[in-house]
Amino acid sequence: MADPRNTDRLAVRGSGTLIGERHVLTCAHNVLDDYSNRSALPMRYIWSTNMQVAPARNDRDLLGHASTVRTARVSPLWRAAANRQAANGNTQRVFGPAEGDFALLTLDTPLGLRFPPVVTMQLPAPPLGWWGHPRFGGNTRIRAYDADLLRRLRRQNVMVNHAGYPIDKCRDRPARGPATPAQLAACTGHIPDMPEWLDRGSTQWLSTGRLLDPARMTFDLDTAHGQSGGPVWLNWQGFRNLVAVFTGGSPRDTAPFDIVANQGVRLTEPILRQLRTWMRADGAEPGF
């Protein structure tokens, strides 16, 4: 994205879920956000630009290839918050509503059925697929989940899972816990001849934990910056069921308002309808 103070480019990274041949579900704050809340930038919502996506990236291997983003759409609720902040002259911060923190990216290059660029003596590897693909989706499913169903599954001790690209790691190290400040400061490498693909936050990590509050979609998953927008799912009925988009920390309702859990946007039928509308506008028929 562009630094509003000058002409510099600022790197922002996040995670997402491929839900179609060229569509990625992610969080809205990866695309449009007031970054002054956590940096020295002036108060205003800023659009991310020159976005690139690499599904299934593994360290320096772009197994699912990569594509630039043609179109980025954020939820109407999130855009309305940005408009209200701009209307008051960016003098009072307006936070986007938690339930509106979702977005859809349309890729320039369809990647969902690309074959990985790996040559072996074995049978050809299957194409990448996407979440919910009937053949190459790895028993994944997308549907709306109400809070009552999730409460029942919580009582049955069904765990939730999350995968994403935390920026407190350098390549695939350390194996446990975050890298030290010194390790992160030394993590300046990148894919050879591709400086935009940094070693920091380059490897996907998995976290498993308990669902705490299904209504607010909070959980005790271990996460870090860079994982925003990634999938939250639970294993049920033989499927990996996508239930939410991970959005970040959930603060305590009272002082000192510290982070007490992590949170996501639960996939409801209105959200799925919005995603279908966006995908059909691109000429794609959703599989959910």
Side-chain angles (χ1 to χ4, degrees):
M1 68 182 188
D3 188 331
R5 300 167 297 183
N6 48 47
T7 59
D8 293 344
R9 311 302 296 182
L10 301 173
V12 177
R13 281 168 287 169
S15 302
T17 306
L18 195 66
I19 61 170
E21 192 172 15
R22 58 192 182 105
H23 287 100
V24 176
L25 175 62
T26 188
C27 62
H29 74 256
N30 281 346
V31 178
L32 174 66
D33 202 14
D34 180 356
Y35 292 95
S36 66
N37 189 41
R38 52 186 183 275
S39 69
L41 295 177
M43 182 185 291
R44 70 184 66 177
Y45 274 80
I46 306 171
W47 282 95
S48 295
T49 56
N50 301 322
M51 300 174 68
Q52 298 190 62
V53 171
R57 181 184 178 184
N58 182 32
D59 193 5
R60 291 186 174 182
D61 295 325
L62 303 183
L63 299 178
H65 302 269
S67 174
T68 54
V69 172
R70 175 182 300 176
T71 307
R73 300 176 173 98
V74 301
S75 74
L77 288 173
W78 197 265
R79 184 186 288 269
N83 290 341
R84 289 197 305 273
Q85 181 165 306
N88 68 33
N90 295 310
T91 58
Q92 180 180 0
R93 181 174 292 112
V94 178
F95 291 99
E99 67 274 18
D101 197 358
F102 68 94
L104 186 72
L105 309 180
T106 304
L107 306 181
D108 275 316
T109 304
L111 298 179
L113 293 180
R114 283 281 188 101
F115 288 87
V118 177
V119 178
T120 69
M121 298 300 293
Q122 302 175 348
L123 293 175
L128 180 63
W130 58 81
W131 202 287
H133 189 284
R135 184 178 177 189
F136 301 115
N139 290 330
T140 54
R141 181 167 65 180
I142 300 175
R143 53 188 288 191
Y145 293 86
D146 61 44
D148 288 338
L149 172 59
L150 293 178
R151 288 189 188 96
R152 292 197 299 271
L153 295 177
R154 181 188 61 184
R155 289 193 292 268
Q156 296 171 21
N157 294 319
V158 175
M159 307 293 278
V160 289
N161 310 274
H162 168 65
Y165 291 83
I167 62 171
D168 64 350
K169 303 278 191 177
C170 185
R171 303 186 73 175
D172 61 351
R173 293 289 183 271
R176 292 184 179 275
T180 66
Q183 289 172 325
L184 293 177
C187 189
T188 58
H190 54 80
I191 296 177
D193 301 320
M194 301 177 73
E196 68 274 22
W197 297 108
L198 302 174
D199 285 341
R200 186 174 178 182
S202 64
T203 303
Q204 188 175 143
W205 292 77
L206 170 69
S207 178
T208 299
R210 298 171 300 150
L211 181 59
L212 301 177
D213 184 348
R216 296 179 59 189
M217 204 62 210
T218 58
F219 28 76
D220 64 359
L221 295 170
D222 182 25
T223 64
H225 289 296
Q227 293 180 248
S228 292
V232 177
W233 75 93
L234 52 84
N235 297 322
W236 180 57
Q237 295 184 335
F239 290 92
R240 296 182 181 92
N241 299 271
L242 185 64
V243 295
V245 177
F246 174 66
T247 55
S250 177
R252 196 187 307 271
D253 292 331
T254 57
F257 306 108
D258 52 324
I259 299 299
V260 293
N262 280 309
Q263 188 171 18
V265 176
R266 179 165 53 89
L267 294 185
T268 62
E269 187 55 38
I271 289 178
L272 294 185
R273 282 199 300 269
Q274 180 65 80
L275 296 175
R276 294 183 194 112
T277 297
W278 284 336
M279 293 176 73
R280 287 170 179 149
D282 291 331
E285 186 56 35
F288 52 87

